[in-house]
């Protein structure tokens, strides 16, 4: 009985040190996502830099609101942001904002269609 109790206490103690991965914002490779970015306007002469700037700004905003969003919504938006193989913080932020009834704060970029 003592061994069982000690094992249970050790297990519960170890679980407390495991981070809640559902709470963590997914990590995306922004450089890879932006590699084939298309210009949003004719004035967008460097779509790669614009994309990196937009993705970085979206990631920063997501870090502020991620933990407060319902887990199911975080899961849904994280999945939708990875459709097409180019994960995007902009897409994830837009998904969360629309689902929560707020206006999107960043412009989504059109992705290249798979060839």
């Amino acid at each position: 009985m003592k061994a069982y109790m000690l094992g249970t206490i050790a297990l519960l103690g170890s679980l407390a040190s495991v981070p809640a991965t559902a709470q963590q914002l997914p990590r995306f490779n922004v450089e890879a996502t932006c590699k084939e970015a298309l210009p949003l306007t004719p004035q967008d002469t460097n779509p790669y830099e614009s994309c990196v700037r937009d993705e970085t700004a979206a990631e920063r905003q997501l870090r502020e609101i991620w933990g407060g969003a319902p887990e199911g919504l975080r899961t849904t938006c994280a999945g939708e942001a990875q459709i097409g193989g180019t994960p995007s913080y902009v897409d994830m932020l837009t998904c969360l904002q629309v689902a929560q009834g707020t206006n999107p704060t960043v412009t989504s970029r059109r992705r290249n269609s798979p060839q």
Side-chain angles (χ1 to χ4, degrees), residues 47-64:
Y48 174 81
E49 284 184 16
S50 299
C51 177
V52 170
R53 184 180 57 246
D54 293 347
E55 289 291 327
T56 302
E59 180 185 12
R60 201 171 16 256
Q61 284 184 270
L62 279 165
R63 290 196 184 286
E64 294 175 11

Side-chain angles (χ1 to χ4, degrees), residues 60-100:
R60 201 171 16 256
Q61 284 184 270
L62 279 165
R63 290 196 184 286
E64 294 175 11
I65 65 171
W66 189 253
E71 183 178 351
L73 185 56
R74 289 191 312 259
T75 301
T76 297
C77 290
E80 287 183 15
Q82 297 179 58
I83 292 174
T86 52
S88 170
Y89 290 118
V90 171
D91 290 350
M92 193 176 346
L93 178 61
T94 301
C95 175
L96 277 176
Q97 289 173 328
V98 169
Q100 293 177 332

Side-chain angles (χ1 to χ4, degrees), residues 30 33-41 43-56 83 86 88-91 94 106-113:
V30 171
T33 295
C34 293
K35 188 170 90 174
E36 296 183 33
L38 300 173
L40 292 176
T41 65
Q43 295 79 22
D44 190 3
T45 58
N46 192 336
Y48 174 81
E49 284 184 16
S50 299
C51 177
V52 170
R53 184 180 57 246
D54 293 347
E55 289 291 327
T56 302
I83 292 174
T86 52
S88 170
Y89 290 118
V90 171
D91 290 350
T94 301
V106 290
T107 305
S108 292
R109 297 185 158 273
R110 290 194 169 177
R111 297 180 180 171
N112 286 337
S113 300

